[in-house]
Amino acid sequence: MGWLEDESGLEKCRANYVPLTPLSHLSRAGQVFPDNEALVYEDTRYNYKEYCQQVTRLASSLKQAGILPGDVVSTILPNTPPQFEAHFGVPACGAVLNTINTRLEAKTIRYIVNHAKPKLMIVDTQYLPVLQNALTHLEGPQPTIIEAHDSLSGLNPSGQYQTYDDFLNQGDVNSKWYFPEDEWESLSLNYTSGTTGQPKGVVYHHRGAYILTMGTVVSWRLTLFPKYLSIVPLFHCNGWLHPWLMPLLGGTVFCSREVSARKIFEVITTEGITHTAGAPIILNMLANATEDEKRPITNTVQVFTAGAPPAAATLKAVESLNMNVTHVYGLTETFGHVTECLWNDSQWDSQDSDAACQLKSRQGVAMPGTENVEVRHQNKRVPKDGSSLGEIFIRGNAIMKGYYRNPKATHQAFAHGLFATGDLAVQHPDSYIQIQDRSKDIIISGGENVSSVEVEGVIMKHHAVLLCAVVAKKHTKWGEVPHAFVELKPDSSALPEQIIEFCRRHLAGFKVPKSVEFTSLPKTATGKIQKFQLRKRLQ
Amino acid sequence: MGWLEDESGLEKCRANYVPLTPLSHLSRAGQVFPDNEALVYEDTRYNYKEYCQQVTRLASSLKQAGILPGDVVSTILPNTPPQFEAHFGVPACGAVLNTINTRLEAKTIRYIVNHAKPKLMIVDTQYLPVLQNALTHLEGPQPTIIEAHDSLSGLNPSGQYQTYDDFLNQGDVNSKWYFPEDEWESLSLNYTSGTTGQPKGVVYHHRGAYILTMGTVVSWRLTLFPKYLSIVPLFHCNGWLHPWLMPLLGGTVFCSREVSARKIFEVITTEGITHTAGAPIILNMLANATEDEKRPITNTVQVFTAGAPPAAATLKAVESLNMNVTHVYGLTETFGHVTECLWNDSQWDSQDSDAACQLKSRQGVAMPGTENVEVRHQNKRVPKDGSSLGEIFIRGNAIMKGYYRNPKATHQAFAHGLFATGDLAVQHPDSYIQIQDRSKDIIISGGENVSSVEVEGVIMKHHAVLLCAVVAKKHTKWGEVPHAFVELKPDSSALPEQIIEFCRRHLAGFKVPKSVEFTSLPKTATGKIQKFQLRKRLQ
């Protein structure tokens, strides 16, 4: 223990120990960049002074509405200003922010509300019907509803609830924010998508959010005053923490309700966007946009992608649009991204475009703030040979506190003193990891492991293919065999045999899908393909 | 307190809580950038893999030599590789690093050794004579001496002690580093220059060093792979933490034994330096370099300056050499810099060069990691009017634990729940602070405060002046009056009356020096002018 012989008088005190919290980023921005543009949504343009005032009003109004530190405040909001304001205003009154996925059906919303027990919910007019359905047969007391209408988008107040604007107007713009007394206090509560069983409530701490935002500056090579287009829904890992990050840099956030290729190209080119982020499916949407939707991008946009391994073909297509993609990886449990496929300037710059995209499709190495990323099999690290398969384990400061009201699942996740991700990967000689599959997605055919990601990567290279998913199909002889679900590009066509033949040219025999089905693929709100739905279809 | 209704199972554990330490930066760099150039000194060029190995050997050798966690290891070294290696190798065995100023006389070194009680000292051959003198009449046991010779600079081993190279060779390159169990453990021990009384031992914590290095990335707009020329002596605030920062970015550090204009221009231009840092006196040296010493700098070098308020004239001169200077401010007690004169792109870009240099000479606003910077007078914040004088108080995560073996002084420094800097400043309407003086340097003339910094700023604009210092001179009528010590440029001349007349044109009467003396100014190792020496001369 590194304590000096005499440590008297050297204890922590108020002057030298400030609990880490992303609230500090916005509070500083309000002082340091008051006039810089902070938040833009259609005709609304807030500078940092105004953004801070909105947040102060929200925190004050929540307090007046009886919200106490530790209470849960839920939102069902698209990426509009109230959702960003809630990211600061809710913790600024000491409460815990629970952003609910806007695409959920009433039943799952009811489950979450029963579990998280929010005292108050801020809900966009668009989602009132599903919420009202969810709130019937609730176990506990009904939460207070604050309605965020959006007349700019033709969503006028329903008249049933206090509006968000009225709610904020009653707030005191001179009130003081709550800052955590302990950086381990709870900041937000994010429910997993629950592909297996019920959603689990992942609890984030102030400390982790602060440290990961600082680390992201390094990884994304961010400097002051970025112009950030918000696409990742803030109900997924709090938008990978980007709402908390931007004030640190005096950046401008461009909000969006509509996520379409046309809109994205329009904002990028008219506002001079420097940074954006989205799942590979968003990149795919941009790559496959019509000429009418596209606009030429003059300054390279730096793009983070995560949520699923991006196919090399997708990366190549989107980079030709003047977007430089960095692949990052994480889970809800890891505050969004915690590894990055760090571009190795000195050694990779000479690679051709195909090779570069292959390198970029890997999950990479620990971001700053993450201490260990290990690939382990049977309690031992696998060799860095690019072929030995193991599970990814992570240790770091951007790992959840645990699952809410579920100590058993928490204990299981942390059993080895590391967080067990459930993702299967190899580690290459340069230490970069590459996911082969979710442990439940791996296909075991005749005793051989088949990575659905690898097979999908090949199918994606076929000129007619827009998207695909490969899952295990029961087989009497081999146990399991790969089965491919394929979504074709508009106006393209292909035969199952052609896809199979294409795979045969690039893959070992046991990896080639035995059957191919053309279909529209079911997706989650982040654009993850819902393989569990596809698996059900095969049962 | 922001704790959820049910926090069971949500405690910190090994997986989600990693004590913050700058050791993590180098450990990650060894994994992520093994082949990138890390440390360059003359013909020696280490990549990160080799740098890590050197550090591992040092930590292992220290352990073998009986150094235990919490022990103090001192160095008397210039900015050569052993000094950088000690910044990681000493904490990597759990010990506390005490870098001693190489320009101190034997008496003060003896005081420090008696106070810090190092078990082992790593000393450059050049400083053995003064050390040997210091170690006579020592109170406690003699420390083990390891001699770092430097044959590249003609300093061969004295033969009296084990050499640093031999010491490292006995280390185990596969040994494990010590990482702190608590981020509040002591990392380093830095003695103040002791202008008033004995030097005080300032204790740094791992947490603060980690957080400030992350914040510096934002402030300095650093991105990956900088090329950093090390000029600030590492025995001052651990070189403003830059040795701990660079591995975070995979940067290359260029070491230097010799600090001369010729050498600096040479390294900048041949190695493509992107970043460097130094006290204003270093900037002044560069600005006044002969044509023979200068070389044209093609890519702008980003320069941090601190240690004294830079005169606008100095800033202007050095910027004409293609260096962009950011003025930062801090003290030994604040881990080096904690405020920055952040360039406000949107509002300052249109300023002319003179106005810009005026703006840049201010101390500015809190860096990320610093929570509050307040200018207070009689326990109240002064108005942001650019004229009300108060003392600077700071609260943040990059504030010392306290003074070693001096709880009384620690208590005094933190009495108000903020760290009292002893610096007097005003706060401008844009929140930027500007130091008028150290509290002990302010001149009170006829009841009016005269800022010596302001008067010096005017004198520095005189074409014949190289450097100057203004101090209080006793006066029967006015109490005190300003007296100027002036160092002229080589081959320049001026009369005292000309300097006084020049001041009269730019300053209110009571601020004009009543007397001017031409002299060579006494300086500390960082180039701070030793005003206390000058004051003595007037007594």
Side-chain angles (χ1 to χ4, degrees):
Chain A
M1 308 261 288
W3 305 108
L4 285 160
E5 184 180 286
D6 179 358
E7 289 262 338
S8 51
L10 303 181
E11 304 80 22
K12 293 170 196 160
C13 71
R14 187 182 173 277
N16 60 22
Y17 185 91
V18 180
L20 300 174
T21 166
L23 287 172
S24 295
H25 296 333
L26 184 61
S27 142
R28 178 173 176 275
Q31 290 287 319
V32 174
F33 321 110
D35 303 321
N36 284 36
E37 212 156 61
L39 204 60
V40 176
Y41 177 59
E42 304 292 345
D43 295 340
T44 306
R45 301 184 90 100
Y46 288 139
N47 64 26
Y48 271 102
K49 188 179 168 195
E50 293 159 335
Y51 192 12
C52 284
Q53 287 172 339
Q54 287 288 99
V55 165
T56 305
R57 282 197 193 94
L58 174 56
S60 164
S61 300
L62 288 169
K63 252 182 274 181
Q64 288 177 35
I67 302 299
L68 299 171
D71 283 347
V72 173
V73 172
S74 300
T75 65
I76 309 184
L77 293 167
N79 287 7
T80 48
Q83 180 78 316
F84 283 88
E85 288 155 13
H87 273 72
F88 292 97
V90 171
C93 90
V96 179
L97 176 67
N98 167 234
T99 52
I100 296 177
N101 188 327
T102 59
R103 303 192 195 176
L104 291 178
E105 67 293 341
K107 195 182 126 206
T108 308
I109 295 178
R110 184 182 307 125
Y111 174 83
I112 291 173
V113 171
N114 273 328
H115 192 268
K117 301 198 200 314
K119 268 201 198 162
L120 185 144
M121 301 183 75
I122 305 169
V123 184
D124 187 271
T125 302
Q126 186 180 349
Y127 306 108
L128 285 176
V130 67
L131 175 68
Q132 285 162 343
N133 189 343
L135 294 184
T136 57
H137 311 297
L138 209 59
E139 287 167 14
Q142 291 283 324
T144 303
I145 310 294
I146 302 298
E147 178 182 346
H149 69 284
D150 183 359
S151 300
L152 290 171
S153 301
L155 293 162
N156 293 316
S158 68
Q160 297 170 277
Y161 307 101
Q162 186 175 22
T163 65
Y164 181 75
D165 291 349
D166 285 349
F167 186 64
L168 255 62
N169 279 335
Q170 74 193 37
D172 174 6
V173 76
N174 294 311
S175 66
K176 292 252 176 277
W177 296 3
Y178 172 93
F179 282 83
E181 295 170 17
D182 184 324
E183 62 199 32
W184 199 251
E185 288 176 31
S186 298
L187 170 64
S188 63
L189 176 59
N190 294 310
Y191 282 81
T192 60
S193 49
T195 50
T196 53
Q198 293 291 13
K200 290 198 283 275
V202 172
V203 182
Y204 287 5
H205 42 96
H206 284 262
R207 172 181 168 95
Y210 181 94
I211 293 173
L212 187 59
T213 52
M214 299 298 271
T216 303
V217 173
V218 175
S219 299
W220 216 351
R221 310 190 189 197
L222 279 159
T223 54
L224 291 178
F225 313 126
K227 288 180 188 287
Y228 171 80
L229 171 59
S230 168
I231 298 174
V232 179
L234 268 54
F235 52 75
H236 278 293
C237 311
N238 301 109
W240 308 349
L241 309 202
H242 301 170
W244 288 318
L245 163 62
M246 286 300 145
L248 169 62
L249 300 161
T252 310
V253 172
F254 293 83
C255 302
S256 57
R257 173 181 283 271
E258 178 196 345
V259 176
S260 68
R262 182 184 302 280
K263 186 75 181 175
I264 291 172
F265 278 108
E266 182 194 310
V267 179
I268 286 176
T269 51
T270 57
E271 299 284 3
I273 296 299
T274 59
H275 291 76
T276 190
I281 196 147
I282 298 285
L283 305 187
N284 216 37
M285 181 180 82
L286 297 176
N288 289 295
T290 63
E291 288 311 310
D292 180 51
E293 291 166 334
K294 280 183 190 165
R295 292 201 195 179
I297 297 173
T298 44
N299 294 311
T300 307
V301 179
Q302 301 296 332
V303 183
F304 258 17
T305 195
T314 302
L315 289 176
K316 194 173 169 186
V318 83
E319 298 219 330
S320 74
L321 300 171
N322 205 5
M323 296 182 159
N324 178 48
V325 181
T326 301
H327 177 206
V328 289
Y329 157 76
L331 302 89
T332 303
E333 287 85 342
T334 65
F335 290 62
H337 38 63
V338 286
T339 78
E340 53 170 322
C341 189
L342 194 154
W343 183 256
N344 189 326
D345 296 30
S346 59
Q347 291 173 34
W348 298 0
D349 277 347
S350 57
Q351 301 280 339
D352 70 25
S353 157
D354 281 329
C357 288
Q358 285 294 344
L359 287 167
K360 280 194 169 191
S361 66
R362 305 183 302 171
Q363 278 68 23
V365 293
M367 282 177 62
T370 300
E371 195 70 15
N372 306 60
V373 177
E374 301 180 3
V375 181
R376 303 179 73 91
H377 180 62
Q378 295 182 333
N379 264 324
K380 272 173 54 188
R381 293 186 76 148
V382 302
K384 296 183 184 179
D385 58 10
S387 65
S388 302
L389 200 66
E391 184 178 351
I392 302 174
F393 285 83
I394 302 176
R395 176 173 179 250
N397 284 307
I399 302 284
M400 63 170 179
K401 293 170 71 160
Y403 298 112
Y404 192 39
R405 304 189 204 274
N406 198 344
K408 198 177 143 193
T410 303
H411 184 76
Q412 216 162 16
F414 294 151
H416 302 274
L418 298 156
F419 169 65
T421 64
D423 285 323
L424 299 179
V426 297
Q427 192 159 21
H428 291 278
D430 62 1
S431 293
Y432 284 53
I433 60 164
Q434 183 163 22
I435 289 191
Q436 304 299 303
D437 240 323
R438 288 289 299 168
S439 51
K440 63 181 181 298
D441 289 345
I442 206 91
I443 302 160
I444 304 173
S445 189
E448 299 282 358
N449 287 333
V450 179
S451 156
S452 63
V453 176
E454 183 186 5
V455 182
E456 287 157 9
V458 168
I459 298 175
M460 283 296 285
K461 286 186 181 153
H462 190 282
H463 62 87
V465 173
L466 180 69
L467 277 179
C468 70
V470 173
V471 300
K473 187 177 178 176
K474 289 259 156 60
H475 191 276
T476 41
K477 183 172 173 192
W478 303 112
E480 295 177 349
V481 291
H483 174 91
F485 291 94
V486 173
E487 191 170 323
L488 292 173
K489 287 180 185 165
D491 309 321
S492 289
S493 66
L495 295 170
E497 306 85 77
Q498 291 170 328
I499 302 291
I500 291 171
E501 181 48 36
F502 184 79
C503 289
R504 207 183 306 278
R505 290 213 302 276
H506 297 93
L507 289 169
F510 70 95
K511 297 179 180 175
V512 173
K514 299 296 166 284
S515 43
V516 172
E517 195 177 328
F518 296 114
T519 182
S520 172
L521 295 170
K523 300 170 200 88
T524 67
T526 28
K528 278 194 195 178
I529 296 164
Q530 296 177 301
K531 285 196 176 175
F532 71 103
Q533 298 276 19
L534 297 170
R535 260 184 229 107
K536 272 190 202 158
R537 288 200 211 162
L538 290 182
Q539 280 164 9
Chain B
M1 308 260 288
W3 305 107
L4 286 160
E5 184 181 285
D6 179 357
E7 289 261 339
S8 50
L10 302 181
E11 305 79 21
K12 292 171 198 162
C13 70
R14 187 182 174 279
N16 59 24
Y17 186 91
V18 180
L20 301 175
T21 167
L23 288 172
S24 295
H25 296 333
L26 184 61
S27 142
R28 178 173 176 273
Q31 290 287 318
V32 173
F33 321 111
D35 303 321
N36 284 37
E37 211 156 63
L39 204 60
V40 176
Y41 177 60
E42 305 292 347
D43 294 341
T44 306
R45 301 184 90 98
Y46 288 138
N47 63 26
Y48 271 102
K49 189 180 167 191
E50 293 159 337
Y51 192 12
C52 284
Q53 288 173 340
Q54 287 289 97
V55 164
T56 305
R57 282 197 194 95
L58 174 55
S60 164
S61 301
L62 288 169
K63 252 181 277 182
Q64 288 177 35
I67 301 300
L68 298 172
D71 284 346
V72 173
V73 172
S74 299
T75 65
I76 308 183
L77 293 167
N79 286 7
T80 48
Q83 181 78 315
F84 284 89
E85 288 156 12
H87 272 73
F88 291 97
V90 171
C93 90
V96 179
L97 176 67
N98 166 235
T99 52
I100 296 177
N101 189 328
T102 58
R103 303 194 195 175
L104 291 178
E105 67 293 341
K107 192 182 127 205
T108 308
I109 294 177
R110 185 182 306 125
Y111 174 84
I112 292 173
V113 171
N114 274 329
H115 192 268
K117 301 198 199 312
K119 268 202 198 160
L120 186 144
M121 301 183 75
I122 304 170
V123 184
D124 188 272
T125 302
Q126 186 180 348
Y127 305 108
L128 284 176
V130 67
L131 175 68
Q132 285 162 343
N133 188 343
L135 294 185
T136 55
H137 312 296
L138 208 58
E139 287 167 14
Q142 290 284 324
T144 304
I145 309 295
I146 302 298
E147 177 181 348
H149 69 283
D150 183 359
S151 301
L152 289 172
S153 300
L155 292 162
N156 292 316
S158 68
Q160 298 170 277
Y161 308 102
Q162 185 175 23
T163 67
Y164 182 74
D165 292 349
D166 284 348
F167 186 63
L168 255 63
N169 278 336
Q170 75 195 34
D172 174 6
V173 76
N174 294 310
S175 66
K176 292 253 175 277
W177 294 3
Y178 173 94
F179 282 83
E181 295 170 17
D182 185 323
E183 62 200 31
W184 199 252
E185 288 176 30
S186 298
L187 170 64
S188 62
L189 176 58
N190 294 311
Y191 282 81
T192 60
S193 49
T195 48
T196 53
Q198 292 292 13
K200 290 198 283 277
V202 172
V203 183
Y204 287 4
H205 42 95
H206 285 262
R207 172 183 168 94
Y210 181 95
I211 293 172
L212 187 60
T213 52
M214 299 298 272
T216 303
V217 173
V218 175
S219 298
W220 216 352
R221 309 190 191 197
L222 278 159
T223 55
L224 292 178
F225 314 127
K227 288 181 190 287
Y228 170 81
L229 171 59
S230 168
I231 298 175
V232 179
L234 267 54
F235 52 74
H236 277 294
C237 311
N238 300 110
W240 308 348
L241 309 201
H242 302 169
W244 288 318
L245 163 62
M246 285 301 146
L248 169 63
L249 300 160
T252 310
V253 171
F254 293 83
C255 303
S256 57
R257 172 181 284 271
E258 177 195 345
V259 176
S260 68
R262 182 184 302 279
K263 184 76 181 176
I264 291 172
F265 279 108
E266 181 194 311
V267 179
I268 286 176
T269 51
T270 56
E271 298 285 3
I273 295 301
T274 60
H275 292 76
T276 191
I281 196 145
I282 297 287
L283 306 187
N284 214 37
M285 181 179 82
L286 297 177
N288 290 297
T290 63
E291 288 312 310
D292 179 52
E293 291 166 332
K294 280 184 192 168
R295 293 202 195 176
I297 297 173
T298 45
N299 294 310
T300 307
V301 179
Q302 302 296 332
V303 183
F304 258 16
T305 195
T314 302
L315 290 177
K316 195 173 167 183
V318 82
E319 298 220 330
S320 74
L321 300 171
N322 205 5
M323 296 184 160
N324 179 47
V325 181
T326 301
H327 176 205
V328 290
Y329 157 75
L331 303 88
T332 303
E333 288 86 341
T334 65
F335 290 63
H337 38 64
V338 286
T339 78
E340 52 170 323
C341 189
L342 194 154
W343 184 255
N344 189 328
D345 296 30
S346 59
Q347 291 173 36
W348 297 359
D349 277 347
S350 57
Q351 302 281 340
D352 68 25
S353 158
D354 281 330
C357 289
Q358 285 296 342
L359 287 167
K360 281 194 170 191
S361 66
R362 306 183 301 169
Q363 279 68 23
V365 293
M367 282 177 61
T370 301
E371 196 69 14
N372 306 58
V373 176
E374 300 179 4
V375 182
R376 303 178 75 91
H377 181 63
Q378 296 182 332
N379 262 325
K380 271 172 55 185
R381 293 186 74 149
V382 303
K384 296 184 184 178
D385 57 11
S387 65
S388 300
L389 200 67
E391 183 179 352
I392 303 174
F393 285 83
I394 302 176
R395 176 174 179 248
N397 283 307
I399 302 283
M400 65 170 179
K401 294 170 70 161
Y403 299 112
Y404 192 39
R405 304 190 203 273
N406 197 343
K408 196 177 145 194
T410 304
H411 184 76
Q412 217 163 14
F414 294 151
H416 302 274
L418 298 156
F419 169 65
T421 64
D423 285 323
L424 299 180
V426 297
Q427 191 160 24
H428 291 278
D430 62 0
S431 293
Y432 284 54
I433 61 165
Q434 183 165 20
I435 288 191
Q436 304 298 304
D437 241 322
R438 288 289 299 169
S439 51
K440 63 181 180 299
D441 289 345
I442 206 91
I443 301 159
I444 304 173
S445 188
E448 297 283 356
N449 286 333
V450 179
S451 157
S452 63
V453 176
E454 184 186 3
V455 183
E456 286 156 10
V458 168
I459 298 175
M460 284 295 286
K461 285 185 183 152
H462 191 283
H463 61 87
V465 173
L466 180 69
L467 277 180
C468 71
V470 173
V471 299
K473 188 176 179 178
K474 289 255 156 64
H475 190 276
T476 42
K477 181 172 176 195
W478 303 111
E480 294 177 351
V481 290
H483 175 92
F485 291 94
V486 173
E487 190 170 324
L488 292 173
K489 288 181 186 165
D491 309 321
S492 290
S493 66
L495 296 169
E497 307 84 77
Q498 291 171 328
I499 302 290
I500 291 172
E501 180 50 33
F502 184 79
C503 289
R504 207 184 304 280
R505 289 213 302 277
H506 297 93
L507 290 168
F510 70 94
K511 297 180 180 175
V512 174
K514 300 294 167 283
S515 43
V516 173
E517 194 176 330
F518 296 112
T519 181
S520 173
L521 296 170
K523 300 172 200 84
T524 67
T526 30
K528 277 194 196 179
I529 296 165
Q530 294 177 300
K531 286 196 176 174
F532 69 103
Q533 299 276 20
L534 297 171
R535 260 185 230 105
K536 272 191 203 158
R537 288 200 211 162
L538 291 182
Q539 279 164 9

